[in-house]
Amino acid sequence: MNEFIYLTFDGLSRGAVYSAFALALVLIWRAARIVNFSQGAMAVAAVYAAYSVTSATGSYWLGFVVAIAFGLVLGVTVERVVMRFVDHSSPLNGVVVALGLVLVIQGVLGILYGNEFRPVQTPFSRDAFEVGGVALLSRYDLFVFAAVGVVVGALTLLFTRTAVGLRMRAAAFAPDVSRLLGVSVGGMLTLGWALAAAVGSLAGMLVVPTELGLHPTAMDVVFISAFTAAVVGGLDSPIGAVVGGLVVGLLLSYVSGYVEPTVAPMAVLLLLVVVLLGKPGGLFSSSKARVA
């Protein structure tokens, strides 16, 4: 029982990060109908920016702020300089360009920083509190939950309570009608990319210290889990991304703890296949929203 409780809290902590990263993928999908396969590489670039600032100043929090700001700027740059000029008559074009961006970003990072793994510090201890002899959560886990909770709450308020959020939703689902009503569809698309890149940067800052360390390909495995979470939840659904992330995190933790860590990726793949066979749009998909 003690092991089950520990694995549950560990899985929820992992899942919170996957939820944040899946949210970034959902934001891009809702704004541009593109699965941004370069999201992981963009997040790693932001973490490298934070690493440089933290190494120079000794301040984790200054590096944290720089990572989020770097993500915002990188998202705007990618949309304005690259994605805006892609021929979107075929969905495959955007995917191919995104995959090309992965190679470019990882190549540039390798040239600038090298290809060795670099340790990244955490702002809080990763030693878990024990209650009744059972290790539960660490201070860093609580920080992860709080950071992801703030992001989910802020995005919920943005899309449900603000005029900007309403314009973003309108521009994504009915761009022609939105233009007739005076909405800057291009501006909303840029904002969607910026927000997604910032959320992805946050996920990178949260997960890189818990993995092997900082490396140009550090987010590749995380991307696979987060992509699975987004698809399982439904690419149109922010709530689905959060739930999907938690489900994937728990699955990885249970399989790693009770079976074998090397089997965990296959379990995630099996989950993806089962969900796609049962509900291709994802557990929280809304066919009505796609049609509108």
Side-chain angles (χ1 to χ4, degrees), residues 25-62:
L25 294 172
V26 168
L27 283 172
I28 292 294
W29 177 258
R30 286 168 66 97
R33 285 296 187 261
I34 291 175
V35 176
N36 183 20
F37 285 94
S38 64
Q39 194 77 64
M42 294 167 66
V44 169
V47 179
Y48 268 110
Y51 175 82
S52 298
V53 172
T54 300
S55 299
T57 64
S59 172
Y60 172 87
W61 295 111
L62 183 58

PDB file of all heavy atoms in Angstrom, residues 25-62:
ATOM      1  N   LEU A  25       0.544  22.207 -26.693  1.00  0.00           N
ATOM      2  CA  LEU A  25       0.190  21.604 -27.983  1.00  0.00           C
ATOM      3  C   LEU A  25      -1.261  21.910 -28.349  1.00  0.00           C
ATOM      4  O   LEU A  25      -1.579  22.171 -29.513  1.00  0.00           O
ATOM      5  CB  LEU A  25       0.408  20.092 -27.914  1.00  0.00           C
ATOM      6  CG  LEU A  25       1.863  19.639 -27.747  1.00  0.00           C
ATOM      7  CD1 LEU A  25       1.924  18.136 -27.491  1.00  0.00           C
ATOM      8  CD2 LEU A  25       2.676  19.986 -28.984  1.00  0.00           C
ATOM      9  N   VAL A  26      -2.144  21.887 -27.340  1.00  0.00           N
ATOM     10  CA  VAL A  26      -3.560  22.184 -27.592  1.00  0.00           C
ATOM     11  C   VAL A  26      -3.745  23.635 -28.021  1.00  0.00           C
ATOM     12  O   VAL A  26      -4.549  23.940 -28.911  1.00  0.00           O
ATOM     13  CB  VAL A  26      -4.383  21.863 -26.328  1.00  0.00           C
ATOM     14  CG1 VAL A  26      -5.799  22.432 -26.441  1.00  0.00           C
ATOM     15  CG2 VAL A  26      -4.451  20.361 -26.113  1.00  0.00           C
ATOM     16  N   LEU A  27      -3.005  24.541 -27.412  1.00  0.00           N
ATOM     17  CA  LEU A  27      -3.116  25.963 -27.777  1.00  0.00           C
ATOM     18  C   LEU A  27      -2.772  26.176 -29.252  1.00  0.00           C
ATOM     19  O   LEU A  27      -3.469  26.910 -29.968  1.00  0.00           O
ATOM     20  CB  LEU A  27      -2.179  26.801 -26.901  1.00  0.00           C
ATOM     21  CG  LEU A  27      -2.647  27.079 -25.476  1.00  0.00           C
ATOM     22  CD1 LEU A  27      -1.532  27.743 -24.676  1.00  0.00           C
ATOM     23  CD2 LEU A  27      -3.881  27.967 -25.488  1.00  0.00           C
ATOM     24  N   ILE A  28      -1.690  25.531 -29.704  1.00  0.00           N
ATOM     25  CA  ILE A  28      -1.306  25.659 -31.116  1.00  0.00           C
ATOM     26  C   ILE A  28      -2.350  25.017 -32.021  1.00  0.00           C
ATOM     27  O   ILE A  28      -2.719  25.572 -33.058  1.00  0.00           O
ATOM     28  CB  ILE A  28       0.071  25.001 -31.365  1.00  0.00           C
ATOM     29  CG1 ILE A  28       1.168  25.795 -30.675  1.00  0.00           C
ATOM     30  CG2 ILE A  28       0.364  24.917 -32.856  1.00  0.00           C
ATOM     31  CD1 ILE A  28       1.378  27.181 -31.241  1.00  0.00           C
ATOM     32  N   TRP A  29      -2.835  23.855 -31.612  1.00  0.00           N
ATOM     33  CA  TRP A  29      -3.831  23.164 -32.434  1.00  0.00           C
ATOM     34  C   TRP A  29      -5.109  23.994 -32.561  1.00  0.00           C
ATOM     35  O   TRP A  29      -5.678  24.126 -33.645  1.00  0.00           O
ATOM     36  CB  TRP A  29      -4.152  21.797 -31.828  1.00  0.00           C
ATOM     37  CG  TRP A  29      -5.220  21.062 -32.583  1.00  0.00           C
ATOM     38  CD1 TRP A  29      -6.542  20.927 -32.240  1.00  0.00           C
ATOM     39  CD2 TRP A  29      -5.083  20.387 -33.838  1.00  0.00           C
ATOM     40  NE1 TRP A  29      -7.220  20.211 -33.180  1.00  0.00           N
ATOM     41  CE2 TRP A  29      -6.349  19.871 -34.183  1.00  0.00           C
ATOM     42  CE3 TRP A  29      -4.003  20.180 -34.700  1.00  0.00           C
ATOM     43  CZ2 TRP A  29      -6.569  19.153 -35.358  1.00  0.00           C
ATOM     44  CZ3 TRP A  29      -4.228  19.467 -35.875  1.00  0.00           C
ATOM     45  CH2 TRP A  29      -5.481  18.964 -36.189  1.00  0.00           C
ATOM     46  N   ARG A  30      -5.543  24.574 -31.447  1.00  0.00           N
ATOM     47  CA  ARG A  30      -6.774  25.384 -31.491  1.00  0.00           C
ATOM     48  C   ARG A  30      -6.579  26.646 -32.315  1.00  0.00           C
ATOM     49  O   ARG A  30      -7.525  27.136 -32.954  1.00  0.00           O
ATOM     50  CB  ARG A  30      -7.190  25.752 -30.064  1.00  0.00           C
ATOM     51  CG  ARG A  30      -7.785  24.597 -29.272  1.00  0.00           C
ATOM     52  CD  ARG A  30      -7.902  24.956 -27.798  1.00  0.00           C
ATOM     53  NE  ARG A  30      -8.868  26.018 -27.575  1.00  0.00           N
ATOM     54  CZ  ARG A  30     -10.131  25.831 -27.212  1.00  0.00           C
ATOM     55  NH1 ARG A  30     -10.584  24.608 -27.057  1.00  0.00           N
ATOM     56  NH2 ARG A  30     -10.936  26.840 -27.001  1.00  0.00           N
ATOM     57  N   ALA A  31      -5.356  27.187 -32.304  1.00  0.00           N
ATOM     58  CA  ALA A  31      -5.115  28.448 -33.015  1.00  0.00           C
ATOM     59  C   ALA A  31      -4.825  28.234 -34.493  1.00  0.00           C
ATOM     60  O   ALA A  31      -5.261  29.025 -35.335  1.00  0.00           O
ATOM     61  CB  ALA A  31      -3.953  29.198 -32.364  1.00  0.00           C
ATOM     62  N   ALA A  32      -4.061  27.174 -34.824  1.00  0.00           N
ATOM     63  CA  ALA A  32      -3.565  27.038 -36.200  1.00  0.00           C
ATOM     64  C   ALA A  32      -3.848  25.690 -36.825  1.00  0.00           C
ATOM     65  O   ALA A  32      -3.513  25.479 -37.988  1.00  0.00           O
ATOM     66  CB  ALA A  32      -2.052  27.284 -36.225  1.00  0.00           C
ATOM     67  N   ARG A  33      -4.464  24.768 -36.074  1.00  0.00           N
ATOM     68  CA  ARG A  33      -4.717  23.415 -36.585  1.00  0.00           C
ATOM     69  C   ARG A  33      -3.416  22.748 -37.045  1.00  0.00           C
ATOM     70  O   ARG A  33      -3.345  22.133 -38.114  1.00  0.00           O
ATOM     71  CB  ARG A  33      -5.733  23.449 -37.727  1.00  0.00           C
ATOM     72  CG  ARG A  33      -7.168  23.669 -37.229  1.00  0.00           C
ATOM     73  CD  ARG A  33      -7.563  22.455 -36.368  1.00  0.00           C
ATOM     74  NE  ARG A  33      -8.953  22.455 -35.976  1.00  0.00           N
ATOM     75  CZ  ARG A  33      -9.409  22.867 -34.784  1.00  0.00           C
ATOM     76  NH1 ARG A  33      -8.573  23.349 -33.878  1.00  0.00           N
ATOM     77  NH2 ARG A  33     -10.679  22.788 -34.479  1.00  0.00           N
ATOM     78  N   ILE A  34      -2.348  22.926 -36.241  1.00  0.00           N
ATOM     79  CA  ILE A  34      -1.047  22.313 -36.501  1.00  0.00           C
ATOM     80  C   ILE A  34      -0.584  21.602 -35.237  1.00  0.00           C
ATOM     81  O   ILE A  34      -0.685  22.166 -34.139  1.00  0.00           O
ATOM     82  CB  ILE A  34       0.005  23.376 -36.888  1.00  0.00           C
ATOM     83  CG1 ILE A  34      -0.308  23.974 -38.256  1.00  0.00           C
ATOM     84  CG2 ILE A  34       1.416  22.778 -36.907  1.00  0.00           C
ATOM     85  CD1 ILE A  34       0.622  25.106 -38.634  1.00  0.00           C
ATOM     86  N   VAL A  35      -0.104  20.378 -35.390  1.00  0.00           N
ATOM     87  CA  VAL A  35       0.581  19.716 -34.267  1.00  0.00           C
ATOM     88  C   VAL A  35       2.025  20.201 -34.307  1.00  0.00           C
ATOM     89  O   VAL A  35       2.777  19.868 -35.233  1.00  0.00           O
ATOM     90  CB  VAL A  35       0.515  18.183 -34.397  1.00  0.00           C
ATOM     91  CG1 VAL A  35       1.325  17.538 -33.271  1.00  0.00           C
ATOM     92  CG2 VAL A  35      -0.927  17.702 -34.351  1.00  0.00           C
ATOM     93  N   ASN A  36       2.399  20.992 -33.337  1.00  0.00           N
ATOM     94  CA  ASN A  36       3.717  21.619 -33.356  1.00  0.00           C
ATOM     95  C   ASN A  36       4.780  20.662 -32.831  1.00  0.00           C
ATOM     96  O   ASN A  36       5.084  20.648 -31.638  1.00  0.00           O
ATOM     97  CB  ASN A  36       3.704  22.901 -32.522  1.00  0.00           C
ATOM     98  CG  ASN A  36       5.038  23.610 -32.583  1.00  0.00           C
ATOM     99  OD1 ASN A  36       5.837  23.383 -33.495  1.00  0.00           O
ATOM    100  ND2 ASN A  36       5.295  24.470 -31.608  1.00  0.00           N
ATOM    101  N   PHE A  37       5.365  19.895 -33.737  1.00  0.00           N
ATOM    102  CA  PHE A  37       6.383  18.931 -33.326  1.00  0.00           C
ATOM    103  C   PHE A  37       7.680  19.615 -32.878  1.00  0.00           C
ATOM    104  O   PHE A  37       8.562  18.949 -32.345  1.00  0.00           O
ATOM    105  CB  PHE A  37       6.670  17.962 -34.476  1.00  0.00           C
ATOM    106  CG  PHE A  37       5.593  16.934 -34.682  1.00  0.00           C
ATOM    107  CD1 PHE A  37       4.572  17.149 -35.590  1.00  0.00           C
ATOM    108  CD2 PHE A  37       5.572  15.773 -33.932  1.00  0.00           C
ATOM    109  CE1 PHE A  37       3.567  16.214 -35.771  1.00  0.00           C
ATOM    110  CE2 PHE A  37       4.577  14.827 -34.102  1.00  0.00           C
ATOM    111  CZ  PHE A  37       3.566  15.048 -35.028  1.00  0.00           C
ATOM    112  N   SER A  38       7.796  20.920 -33.106  1.00  0.00           N
ATOM    113  CA  SER A  38       8.992  21.636 -32.643  1.00  0.00           C
ATOM    114  C   SER A  38       8.823  22.189 -31.231  1.00  0.00           C
ATOM    115  O   SER A  38       9.712  22.873 -30.725  1.00  0.00           O
ATOM    116  CB  SER A  38       9.326  22.784 -33.600  1.00  0.00           C
ATOM    117  OG  SER A  38       8.291  23.752 -33.612  1.00  0.00           O
ATOM    118  N   GLN A  39       7.669  21.892 -30.587  1.00  0.00           N
ATOM    119  CA  GLN A  39       7.415  22.442 -29.250  1.00  0.00           C
ATOM    120  C   GLN A  39       8.503  22.045 -28.253  1.00  0.00           C
ATOM    121  O   GLN A  39       8.941  22.859 -27.430  1.00  0.00           O
ATOM    122  CB  GLN A  39       6.064  21.951 -28.739  1.00  0.00           C
ATOM    123  CG  GLN A  39       5.535  22.707 -27.528  1.00  0.00           C
ATOM    124  CD  GLN A  39       4.955  24.045 -27.909  1.00  0.00           C
ATOM    125  OE1 GLN A  39       3.969  24.116 -28.620  1.00  0.00           O
ATOM    126  NE2 GLN A  39       5.583  25.123 -27.470  1.00  0.00           N
ATOM    127  N   GLY A  40       8.953  20.787 -28.295  1.00  0.00           N
ATOM    128  CA  GLY A  40       9.979  20.340 -27.366  1.00  0.00           C
ATOM    129  C   GLY A  40      11.304  21.053 -27.577  1.00  0.00           C
ATOM    130  O   GLY A  40      11.948  21.482 -26.616  1.00  0.00           O
ATOM    131  N   ALA A  41      11.709  21.186 -28.840  1.00  0.00           N
ATOM    132  CA  ALA A  41      12.972  21.873 -29.134  1.00  0.00           C
ATOM    133  C   ALA A  41      12.901  23.342 -28.724  1.00  0.00           C
ATOM    134  O   ALA A  41      13.879  23.907 -28.207  1.00  0.00           O
ATOM    135  CB  ALA A  41      13.291  21.750 -30.620  1.00  0.00           C
ATOM    136  N   MET A  42      11.751  23.972 -28.946  1.00  0.00           N
ATOM    137  CA  MET A  42      11.585  25.371 -28.528  1.00  0.00           C
ATOM    138  C   MET A  42      11.685  25.499 -27.008  1.00  0.00           C
ATOM    139  O   MET A  42      12.292  26.446 -26.488  1.00  0.00           O
ATOM    140  CB  MET A  42      10.241  25.903 -29.024  1.00  0.00           C
ATOM    141  CG  MET A  42      10.131  26.015 -30.544  1.00  0.00           C
ATOM    142  SD  MET A  42       8.437  26.296 -31.139  1.00  0.00           S
ATOM    143  CE  MET A  42       8.140  27.939 -30.466  1.00  0.00           C
ATOM    144  N   ALA A  43      11.090  24.539 -26.296  1.00  0.00           N
ATOM    145  CA  ALA A  43      11.151  24.571 -24.832  1.00  0.00           C
ATOM    146  C   ALA A  43      12.589  24.396 -24.343  1.00  0.00           C
ATOM    147  O   ALA A  43      13.019  25.074 -23.391  1.00  0.00           O
ATOM    148  CB  ALA A  43      10.254  23.473 -24.250  1.00  0.00           C
ATOM    149  N   VAL A  44      13.337  23.491 -24.982  1.00  0.00           N
ATOM    150  CA  VAL A  44      14.734  23.292 -24.586  1.00  0.00           C
ATOM    151  C   VAL A  44      15.548  24.564 -24.816  1.00  0.00           C
ATOM    152  O   VAL A  44      16.408  24.932 -23.993  1.00  0.00           O
ATOM    153  CB  VAL A  44      15.345  22.110 -25.370  1.00  0.00           C
ATOM    154  CG1 VAL A  44      16.852  22.065 -25.161  1.00  0.00           C
ATOM    155  CG2 VAL A  44      14.737  20.813 -24.907  1.00  0.00           C
ATOM    156  N   ALA A  45      15.274  25.257 -25.933  1.00  0.00           N
ATOM    157  CA  ALA A  45      15.990  26.513 -26.201  1.00  0.00           C
ATOM    158  C   ALA A  45      15.743  27.519 -25.076  1.00  0.00           C
ATOM    159  O   ALA A  45      16.660  28.231 -24.641  1.00  0.00           O
ATOM    160  CB  ALA A  45      15.542  27.086 -27.546  1.00  0.00           C
ATOM    161  N   ALA A  46      14.501  27.577 -24.596  1.00  0.00           N
ATOM    162  CA  ALA A  46      14.173  28.487 -23.494  1.00  0.00           C
ATOM    163  C   ALA A  46      14.900  28.088 -22.208  1.00  0.00           C
ATOM    164  O   ALA A  46      15.374  28.945 -21.455  1.00  0.00           O
ATOM    165  CB  ALA A  46      12.665  28.505 -23.267  1.00  0.00           C
ATOM    166  N   VAL A  47      14.989  26.771 -21.966  1.00  0.00           N
ATOM    167  CA  VAL A  47      15.691  26.308 -20.757  1.00  0.00           C
ATOM    168  C   VAL A  47      17.182  26.629 -20.855  1.00  0.00           C
ATOM    169  O   VAL A  47      17.820  26.989 -19.852  1.00  0.00           O
ATOM    170  CB  VAL A  47      15.465  24.797 -20.547  1.00  0.00           C
ATOM    171  CG1 VAL A  47      16.212  24.317 -19.296  1.00  0.00           C
ATOM    172  CG2 VAL A  47      13.984  24.491 -20.406  1.00  0.00           C
ATOM    173  N   TYR A  48      17.749  26.521 -22.052  1.00  0.00           N
ATOM    174  CA  TYR A  48      19.153  26.904 -22.230  1.00  0.00           C
ATOM    175  C   TYR A  48      19.346  28.396 -21.951  1.00  0.00           C
ATOM    176  O   TYR A  48      20.365  28.808 -21.366  1.00  0.00           O
ATOM    177  CB  TYR A  48      19.622  26.567 -23.644  1.00  0.00           C
ATOM    178  CG  TYR A  48      20.253  25.204 -23.782  1.00  0.00           C
ATOM    179  CD1 TYR A  48      19.614  24.191 -24.469  1.00  0.00           C
ATOM    180  CD2 TYR A  48      21.499  24.929 -23.207  1.00  0.00           C
ATOM    181  CE1 TYR A  48      20.193  22.931 -24.600  1.00  0.00           C
ATOM    182  CE2 TYR A  48      22.076  23.686 -23.328  1.00  0.00           C
ATOM    183  CZ  TYR A  48      21.422  22.683 -24.029  1.00  0.00           C
ATOM    184  OH  TYR A  48      22.012  21.438 -24.137  1.00  0.00           O
ATOM    185  N   ALA A  49      18.387  29.223 -22.375  1.00  0.00           N
ATOM    186  CA  ALA A  49      18.470  30.661 -22.078  1.00  0.00           C
ATOM    187  C   ALA A  49      18.468  30.884 -20.572  1.00  0.00           C
ATOM    188  O   ALA A  49      19.252  31.690 -20.043  1.00  0.00           O
ATOM    189  CB  ALA A  49      17.313  31.399 -22.739  1.00  0.00           C
ATOM    190  N   ALA A  50      17.577  30.163 -19.873  1.00  0.00           N
ATOM    191  CA  ALA A  50      17.540  30.276 -18.413  1.00  0.00           C
ATOM    192  C   ALA A  50      18.842  29.787 -17.792  1.00  0.00           C
ATOM    193  O   ALA A  50      19.360  30.394 -16.823  1.00  0.00           O
ATOM    194  CB  ALA A  50      16.363  29.467 -17.868  1.00  0.00           C
ATOM    195  N   TYR A  51      19.378  28.711 -18.339  1.00  0.00           N
ATOM    196  CA  TYR A  51      20.637  28.148 -17.832  1.00  0.00           C
ATOM    197  C   TYR A  51      21.765  29.176 -17.941  1.00  0.00           C
ATOM    198  O   TYR A  51      22.561  29.349 -17.005  1.00  0.00           O
ATOM    199  CB  TYR A  51      20.983  26.898 -18.628  1.00  0.00           C
ATOM    200  CG  TYR A  51      22.308  26.267 -18.292  1.00  0.00           C
ATOM    201  CD1 TYR A  51      22.439  25.421 -17.196  1.00  0.00           C
ATOM    202  CD2 TYR A  51      23.432  26.523 -19.075  1.00  0.00           C
ATOM    203  CE1 TYR A  51      23.658  24.840 -16.887  1.00  0.00           C
ATOM    204  CE2 TYR A  51      24.657  25.950 -18.778  1.00  0.00           C
ATOM    205  CZ  TYR A  51      24.767  25.111 -17.685  1.00  0.00           C
ATOM    206  OH  TYR A  51      25.977  24.547 -17.385  1.00  0.00           O
ATOM    207  N   SER A  52      21.820  29.876 -19.075  1.00  0.00           N
ATOM    208  CA  SER A  52      22.870  30.881 -19.272  1.00  0.00           C
ATOM    209  C   SER A  52      22.731  32.010 -18.265  1.00  0.00           C
ATOM    210  O   SER A  52      23.720  32.455 -17.661  1.00  0.00           O
ATOM    211  CB  SER A  52      22.799  31.433 -20.707  1.00  0.00           C
ATOM    212  OG  SER A  52      23.028  30.417 -21.648  1.00  0.00           O
ATOM    213  N   VAL A  53      21.496  32.484 -18.072  1.00  0.00           N
ATOM    214  CA  VAL A  53      21.269  33.597 -17.149  1.00  0.00           C
ATOM    215  C   VAL A  53      21.555  33.174 -15.712  1.00  0.00           C
ATOM    216  O   VAL A  53      22.210  33.900 -14.939  1.00  0.00           O
ATOM    217  CB  VAL A  53      19.822  34.115 -17.289  1.00  0.00           C
ATOM    218  CG1 VAL A  53      19.506  35.137 -16.208  1.00  0.00           C
ATOM    219  CG2 VAL A  53      19.617  34.722 -18.670  1.00  0.00           C
ATOM    220  N   THR A  54      21.081  31.987 -15.343  1.00  0.00           N
ATOM    221  CA  THR A  54      21.306  31.508 -13.971  1.00  0.00           C
ATOM    222  C   THR A  54      22.797  31.292 -13.701  1.00  0.00           C
ATOM    223  O   THR A  54      23.303  31.615 -12.616  1.00  0.00           O
ATOM    224  CB  THR A  54      20.533  30.198 -13.742  1.00  0.00           C
ATOM    225  OG1 THR A  54      19.135  30.434 -13.933  1.00  0.00           O
ATOM    226  CG2 THR A  54      20.760  29.679 -12.327  1.00  0.00           C
ATOM    227  N   SER A  55      23.503  30.749 -14.699  1.00  0.00           N
ATOM    228  CA  SER A  55      24.943  30.535 -14.516  1.00  0.00           C
ATOM    229  C   SER A  55      25.693  31.860 -14.358  1.00  0.00           C
ATOM    230  O   SER A  55      26.657  31.954 -13.594  1.00  0.00           O
ATOM    231  CB  SER A  55      25.510  29.765 -15.722  1.00  0.00           C
ATOM    232  OG  SER A  55      24.911  28.507 -15.841  1.00  0.00           O
ATOM    233  N   ALA A  56      25.233  32.898 -15.075  1.00  0.00           N
ATOM    234  CA  ALA A  56      25.918  34.194 -15.026  1.00  0.00           C
ATOM    235  C   ALA A  56      25.579  34.989 -13.785  1.00  0.00           C
ATOM    236  O   ALA A  56      26.425  35.734 -13.262  1.00  0.00           O
ATOM    237  CB  ALA A  56      25.568  35.006 -16.278  1.00  0.00           C
ATOM    238  N   THR A  57      24.342  34.849 -13.287  1.00  0.00           N
ATOM    239  CA  THR A  57      23.891  35.693 -12.172  1.00  0.00           C
ATOM    240  C   THR A  57      23.748  34.928 -10.859  1.00  0.00           C
ATOM    241  O   THR A  57      23.703  35.538  -9.790  1.00  0.00           O
ATOM    242  CB  THR A  57      22.536  36.330 -12.512  1.00  0.00           C
ATOM    243  OG1 THR A  57      21.538  35.286 -12.645  1.00  0.00           O
ATOM    244  CG2 THR A  57      22.615  37.116 -13.817  1.00  0.00           C
ATOM    245  N   GLY A  58      23.613  33.604 -10.937  1.00  0.00           N
ATOM    246  CA  GLY A  58      23.385  32.818  -9.722  1.00  0.00           C
ATOM    247  C   GLY A  58      21.948  32.848  -9.248  1.00  0.00           C
ATOM    248  O   GLY A  58      21.625  32.293  -8.199  1.00  0.00           O
ATOM    249  N   SER A  59      21.050  33.468 -10.020  1.00  0.00           N
ATOM    250  CA  SER A  59      19.650  33.585  -9.630  1.00  0.00           C
ATOM    251  C   SER A  59      18.782  32.649 -10.457  1.00  0.00           C
ATOM    252  O   SER A  59      18.625  32.850 -11.671  1.00  0.00           O
ATOM    253  CB  SER A  59      19.168  35.037  -9.811  1.00  0.00           C
ATOM    254  OG  SER A  59      17.766  35.111  -9.616  1.00  0.00           O
ATOM    255  N   TYR A  60      18.203  31.625  -9.805  1.00  0.00           N
ATOM    256  CA  TYR A  60      17.286  30.724 -10.510  1.00  0.00           C
ATOM    257  C   TYR A  60      16.071  31.478 -11.013  1.00  0.00           C
ATOM    258  O   TYR A  60      15.619  31.270 -12.146  1.00  0.00           O
ATOM    259  CB  TYR A  60      16.838  29.587  -9.582  1.00  0.00           C
ATOM    260  CG  TYR A  60      15.733  28.738 -10.185  1.00  0.00           C
ATOM    261  CD1 TYR A  60      16.036  27.660 -11.005  1.00  0.00           C
ATOM    262  CD2 TYR A  60      14.385  29.048  -9.950  1.00  0.00           C
ATOM    263  CE1 TYR A  60      15.037  26.883 -11.572  1.00  0.00           C
ATOM    264  CE2 TYR A  60      13.368  28.285 -10.519  1.00  0.00           C
ATOM    265  CZ  TYR A  60      13.700  27.206 -11.315  1.00  0.00           C
ATOM    266  OH  TYR A  60      12.694  26.449 -11.886  1.00  0.00           O
ATOM    267  N   TRP A  61      15.520  32.359 -10.186  1.00  0.00           N
ATOM    268  CA  TRP A  61      14.264  33.021 -10.535  1.00  0.00           C
ATOM    269  C   TRP A  61      14.428  33.986 -11.696  1.00  0.00           C
ATOM    270  O   TRP A  61      13.515  34.150 -12.501  1.00  0.00           O
ATOM    271  CB  TRP A  61      13.688  33.729  -9.308  1.00  0.00           C
ATOM    272  CG  TRP A  61      13.311  32.742  -8.244  1.00  0.00           C
ATOM    273  CD1 TRP A  61      13.911  32.553  -7.041  1.00  0.00           C
ATOM    274  CD2 TRP A  61      12.266  31.765  -8.325  1.00  0.00           C
ATOM    275  NE1 TRP A  61      13.311  31.532  -6.363  1.00  0.00           N
ATOM    276  CE2 TRP A  61      12.291  31.028  -7.119  1.00  0.00           C
ATOM    277  CE3 TRP A  61      11.321  31.433  -9.289  1.00  0.00           C
ATOM    278  CZ2 TRP A  61      11.405  29.993  -6.861  1.00  0.00           C
ATOM    279  CZ3 TRP A  61      10.427  30.400  -9.033  1.00  0.00           C
ATOM    280  CH2 TRP A  61      10.477  29.690  -7.834  1.00  0.00           C
ATOM    281  N   LEU A  62      15.586  34.641 -11.791  1.00  0.00           N
ATOM    282  CA  LEU A  62      15.835  35.490 -12.952  1.00  0.00           C
ATOM    283  C   LEU A  62      15.887  34.628 -14.217  1.00  0.00           C
ATOM    284  O   LEU A  62      15.324  34.988 -15.252  1.00  0.00           O
ATOM    285  CB  LEU A  62      17.141  36.271 -12.781  1.00  0.00           C
ATOM    286  CG  LEU A  62      17.486  37.249 -13.912  1.00  0.00           C
ATOM    287  CD1 LEU A  62      16.360  38.272 -14.096  1.00  0.00           C
ATOM    288  CD2 LEU A  62      18.812  37.956 -13.633  1.00  0.00           C
TER     289      LEU A  62
END
